């Protein structure tokens, strides 16, 4: 389980870093993206640092858990900028799942 948390932490760190790009491009919405990036980077770094391991061995069971965990956690954190900009939680999660999965659905 520590390996799964460690990898999800790394994914959240990547997502948090990616949130800083729109903050640099659009100064009008920079506050939402900087706050979202800070929250995401905090949780990602916490997961990563708390579960560091010198050995990464992922078997089939852990791969399934990692995949389902990543597809659950990533859209929740990706929805933060939408929620902070005033969009409802359900719509924000829908938009972020659409963006993370690249389905192109939108509301």
């Amino acid at each position: 389980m520590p390996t799964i948390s460690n990898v999800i932490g790394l994914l959240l760190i990547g997502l948090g870093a990616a949130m800083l790009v729109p903050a640099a491009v659009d100064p009008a919405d920079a506050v939402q993206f900087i706050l979202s990036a800070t929250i995401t980077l905090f949780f990602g770094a916490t997961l990563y640092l708390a579960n560091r391991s010198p050995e990464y061995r992922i078997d089939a069971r852990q791969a399934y858990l990692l995949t389902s965990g990543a597809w659950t956690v990533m859209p929740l954190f990706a929805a933060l900028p939408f929620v902070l900009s005033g969009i409802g939680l359900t719509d924000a999660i829908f938009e972020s799942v659409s963006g993370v999965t690249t389905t192109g659905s939108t509301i």
Side-chain angles (χ1 to χ4, degrees), residues 70 85 102 104:
S85 66
T102 65

Side-chain angles (χ1 to χ4, degrees), residues 28-55:
D29 293 328
V31 174
Q32 289 93 353
F33 283 108
I34 291 172
L35 185 59
S36 299
T38 303
I39 294 168
T40 304
L41 286 169
F42 172 76
F43 280 101
T46 301
L47 278 175
Y48 174 72
L49 293 174
N51 297 296
R52 282 186 295 182
S53 173
E55 185 177 313

